[in-house]
């Protein structure tokens, strides 16, 4: 599923509230809202390419929500977006020239057209930069936890490999991921182990 524009934070509850609801034996467990694993204020985000209806200035400052169902951002301008975890094929803590960020690759595959045609893959990049850099690790861990709840459908391994065939080309952002121990990658999209060296993987 592609990135979706929203105007309100995603519906969620705290782990403590979830425990209380489950203990009370609700009429339907499916009606229980997703758990909010992390909330970070004073965050800036950037999308490349830009999302229609969400301008660069909308990403200047807002709040990040890491729930068990979606990753979402609500700007101080009132605009926002949410992403389902199967769309996030990779997330990492990247420490580049612009400072440390959470880097994500988003796969917005459109599906097949005529019979026999291959899928058209639309890749988008997301960077999340909290004011408090100490929050990078908690955000990363929350993303890893939530993404693990949404494994890739069976049979998607080969497709994911294809999505990263050009990941080491000089034109990509991953050129700065030198594997020097100052970065951390999470293998959401089953990124090959030889992609970079000396990384801490969080396999799902």
């Amino acid at each position: 599923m592609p990135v979706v524009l929203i105007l309100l934070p995603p519906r969620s509850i705290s782990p403590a509230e979830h425990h209380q609801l489950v203990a009370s034996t609700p009429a339907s467990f499916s009606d229980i809202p997703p758990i909010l694993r992390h909330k970070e204020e004073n965050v800036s985000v950037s999308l490349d390419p830009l999302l229609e209806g969400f301008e660069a200035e909308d990403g200047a400052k807002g709040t990040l929500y890491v729930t068990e169902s979606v990753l979402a951002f609500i700007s101080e301008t009132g605009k926002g977006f949410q992403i389902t975890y199967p769309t996030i094929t990779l997330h990492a803590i990247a420490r580049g020239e612009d400072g440390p960020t959470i880097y994500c690759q988003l796969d917005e595959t459109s599906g097949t057209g005529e019979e026999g045609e291959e899928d058209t893959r639309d890749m988008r990049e997301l960077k999340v930069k909290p004011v408090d850099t100490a929050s990078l690790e908690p955000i990363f861990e929350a993303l890893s936890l939530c993404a693990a709840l949404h494994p890739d459908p069976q049979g998607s391994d080969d497709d994911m490999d294809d999505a990263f065939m050009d990941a080491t080309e000089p034109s990509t952002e991953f050129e700065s991921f030198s594997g020097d121990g100052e970065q951390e990658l999470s293998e959401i999209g089953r990124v090959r182990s030889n992609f970079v060296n000396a990384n801490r993987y969080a396999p799902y």
Side-chain angles (χ1 to χ4, degrees):
M1 179 181 291
V3 184
V4 177
L5 291 173
I6 58 174
L7 298 176
L8 296 172
R11 184 167 171 255
S12 64
I13 56 176
S14 69
E17 291 171 329
H18 180 269
H19 178 75
Q20 292 177 351
L21 285 173
V22 172
S24 66
T25 313
S28 174
F29 284 92
S30 62
D31 293 335
I32 298 178
I35 297 175
L36 176 64
R37 290 298 179 180
H38 190 87
K39 177 181 176 181
E40 188 69 26
E41 299 178 345
N42 298 319
V43 169
S44 63
V45 300
S46 63
L47 288 164
D48 184 18
L50 284 172
L51 179 65
E52 184 176 356
F54 188 88
E55 304 300 330
E57 51 267 27
D58 294 320
K61 188 176 182 181
T63 302
L64 186 75
Y65 300 84
V66 185
T67 78
E68 290 190 348
S69 62
V70 295
L71 172 66
F73 174 82
I74 295 292
S75 170
E76 288 191 341
T77 65
K79 297 181 181 179
F81 60 83
Q82 67 180 27
I83 307 166
T84 55
Y85 290 103
T87 301
I88 305 174
T89 58
L90 173 81
H91 73 262
I93 296 178
R95 308 184 191 279
E97 295 180 356
D98 297 333
T101 62
I102 296 290
Y103 172 85
C104 300
Q105 279 192 346
L106 313 178
D107 182 1
E108 299 181 278
T109 303
S110 62
T112 57
E114 299 295 330
E115 184 176 356
E117 292 184 358
E118 295 183 355
D119 288 354
T120 300
R121 292 197 178 279
D122 295 318
M123 303 300 291
R124 193 187 301 271
E125 294 180 337
L126 166 67
K127 292 181 180 179
V128 179
K129 188 173 184 178
V131 170
D132 181 8
T133 57
S135 299
L136 286 167
E137 184 66 25
I139 294 173
F140 175 86
E141 294 296 342
L143 275 171
S144 298
L145 173 63
C146 295
L149 301 176
H150 303 270
D152 294 328
Q154 289 185 349
S156 65
D157 292 6
D158 292 339
D159 292 340
M160 286 297 98
D161 262 352
D162 292 341
F164 292 97
M165 287 297 287
D166 298 326
T168 54
E169 291 297 319
S171 61
T172 66
E173 290 291 336
F174 278 105
E175 185 181 12
S176 61
F177 284 15
S178 59
D180 58 4
E182 293 185 347
Q183 62 191 15
E184 304 167 60
L185 294 180
S186 173
E187 188 186 11
I188 301 177
R190 292 180 174 83
V191 181
R192 292 164 296 177
S193 60
N194 63 352
F195 182 68
V196 285
N197 298 317
N199 291 305
R200 179 172 66 82
Y201 284 88
Y204 302 158

